Amino acid sequence: MSASDIKIITVIGSGLIGRSWAMLFASGGYRVKIYDNQPGQSAKAITEIKKQLVELEEAHMLRGELTAMQQLALLSGYDDLSQALEGAFFVQECVFEQLEVKQSVFHDIERIVGKDVILSSSTSCLVPSKVFSKVQNRSRCLVSHPVNPPYHVKLVELVPHPDTAATVMDTTHALMTKVGQAPVLLKKEIDGFALNRVQAAIIAESWRLVQDGFISVKDIDLVMSEGLGMRYALIGPMETMHLNAPKEEMGIKMSQRSQEF
Ligand SMILES: NC(=O)c1ccc[n+]([C@@H]2O[C@H](COP(=O)([O-])OP(=O)(O)OC[C@H]3O[C@@H](n4cnc5c(N)ncnc54)[C@H](O)[C@@H]3O)[C@@H](O)[C@H]2O)c1
Ligand SMILES: *[C@@H]1O[C@H](CO)[C@@H](O)[C@H](O)[C@H]1NC(C)=O
């Protein structure tokens, strides 16, 4: 493969999550152009990434087929947005979690990139219809929400804008799979996406049991760490119900349960 065949991804924002995405995309053999609006910040990010790649290689935990130095060679840093976006087919935004900042970043990006470039946001809490409200062509936009630390936790929630094209979801799903992440598709946007909603339900019930005096804080945590958590680390709640936990065994009727939430 010649250098010009290597596809380019631009990462916008070089903080914790931007650096993680850059490492993941490079591990999959993509050229990664990193932009940060703080002058010199993207160069600092690459120095930091170099340190991490070398440590990961020494610990035999480096991802992908390439060596640490080969992956490092795929990275470049930019203080200029247009230069950073040149040639990219995919843009992963990782700036501060502030709606106005993200809206204005995507507004600027759209004016520079070609019409087929996919615009993806790392937002944890903002729905796509808000993040992309200043973008004209929203069919190319989605949220790709990673879980910290993304280099070690593979889940990525892919959340469409109401206008997002199916091909954009498919291409992003294939990209995430190619770099070794585990993408899940939400069929439509909802606050909290899936992970944070499931987490909120677990916390709400745990808190209620503690508050109503049924169990101690320490013991409700043990219910998860020594019990449910071990099962859920391997199979999800649906598969658990299907395989080995008849509803009666769970001590509550599911119909009753769904009325409570
Ligand atoms: N940290 C987490 O655990 C986590 C997990 C999942 C998703 N996220 C999401 O990822 C995004 C980034 O989070 P983070 O923890 O990396 O933040 P961070 O504060 O570490 O990094 C943000 C970076 O963006 C840069 N930046 C700010 N405004 C910019 C602009 N207009 N243009 C270019 N660069 C700009 C900053 O200089 C900084 O380097 C947020 O939306 C956050 O919600 C974070
Ligand atoms: C909008 O984006 C889609 C998906 O990237 C693209 O195929 C289409 O050509 C774009 N439309 C316009 C008018 O730019």
Side-chain angles (χ1 to χ4, degrees):
M1 207 192 234
S2 78
S4 60
D5 292 334
I6 301 179
K7 290 178 115 187
I8 299 172
I9 296 175
T10 302
V11 168
I12 306 286
S14 60
L16 185 68
I17 295 299
R19 295 195 301 266
S20 298
W21 275 124
M23 289 167 65
L24 285 170
F25 293 140
S27 80
Y30 291 94
R31 259 191 76 192
V32 185
K33 299 172 86 174
I34 304 172
Y35 166 78
D36 201 290
N37 72 340
Q38 294 300 306
Q41 190 59 44
S42 63
K44 273 193 214 147
I46 292 178
T47 306
E48 167 64 22
I49 289 172
K50 180 180 179 186
K51 219 175 101 204
Q52 285 191 49
L53 289 175
V54 169
E55 283 172 11
L56 285 162
E57 190 168 58
E58 279 169 5
H60 303 285
M61 285 170 73
L62 187 70
R63 290 178 56 164
E65 308 285 309
L66 304 171
T67 66
M69 285 306 130
Q70 286 171 328
Q71 295 189 25
L72 186 69
L74 292 169
L75 306 177
S76 50
Y78 296 83
D79 293 341
D80 180 88
L81 183 60
S82 304
Q83 282 175 16
L85 290 168
E86 204 181 317
F89 79 102
F90 190 92
V91 177
Q92 184 69 34
E93 167 274 314
C94 320
V95 304
F96 301 138
E97 184 76 349
Q98 285 168 15
L99 182 58
E100 299 72 28
V101 178
K102 290 192 189 287
Q103 284 174 337
S104 103
V105 163
F106 279 116
H107 179 72
D108 293 346
I109 292 171
E110 188 182 34
R111 287 193 302 198
I112 300 170
V113 297
K115 66 179 176 61
D116 290 324
V117 176
I118 295 177
L119 307 183
S120 172
S121 172
S122 301
T123 181
S124 310
C125 301
L126 303 165
V127 289
S129 57
K130 289 196 178 134
V131 173
F132 299 109
S133 63
K134 295 201 172 138
V135 173
Q136 302 222 316
N137 183 0
R138 269 103 57 152
S139 62
R140 52 154 83 182
C141 299
L142 78 160
V143 164
S144 303
H145 173 230
V147 184
N148 203 31
Y151 202 82
H152 303 289
V153 182
K154 292 181 175 177
L155 185 75
V156 183
E157 296 182 285
L158 304 183
V159 189
H161 183 281
D163 297 342
T164 306
T167 54
V168 168
M169 299 302 284
D170 292 347
T171 303
T172 308
H173 194 276
L175 167 64
M176 295 303 167
T177 306
K178 183 163 182 243
V179 301
Q181 293 301 84
V184 294
L185 286 174
L186 272 85
K187 294 176 184 170
K188 47 187 176 178
E189 67 177 30
I190 182 169
D191 276 326
F193 313 146
L195 180 141
N196 279 325
R197 294 186 75 87
V198 171
Q199 178 166 256
I202 291 169
I203 290 173
E205 182 62 15
S206 302
W207 182 239
R208 183 164 74 179
L209 289 172
V210 169
Q211 212 176 22
D212 294 353
F214 290 105
I215 192 166
S216 71
V217 167
K218 184 167 163 280
D219 284 359
I220 194 70
D221 274 352
L222 288 172
V223 167
M224 186 57 74
S225 62
E226 295 297 331
L228 271 180
M230 305 186 80
R231 188 185 280 166
Y232 284 171
L234 302 172
I235 58 174
M238 295 299 177
E239 201 175 347
T240 299
M241 277 201 297
H242 179 69
L243 287 179
N244 63 3
K247 287 158 196 156
E248 298 73 38
E249 202 181 284
M250 298 171 89
I252 38 170
K253 288 209 179 71
M254 294 315 283
S255 56
Q256 234 176 326
R257 192 91 209 125
S258 52
Q259 279 161 18
E260 287 174 26
F261 281 99

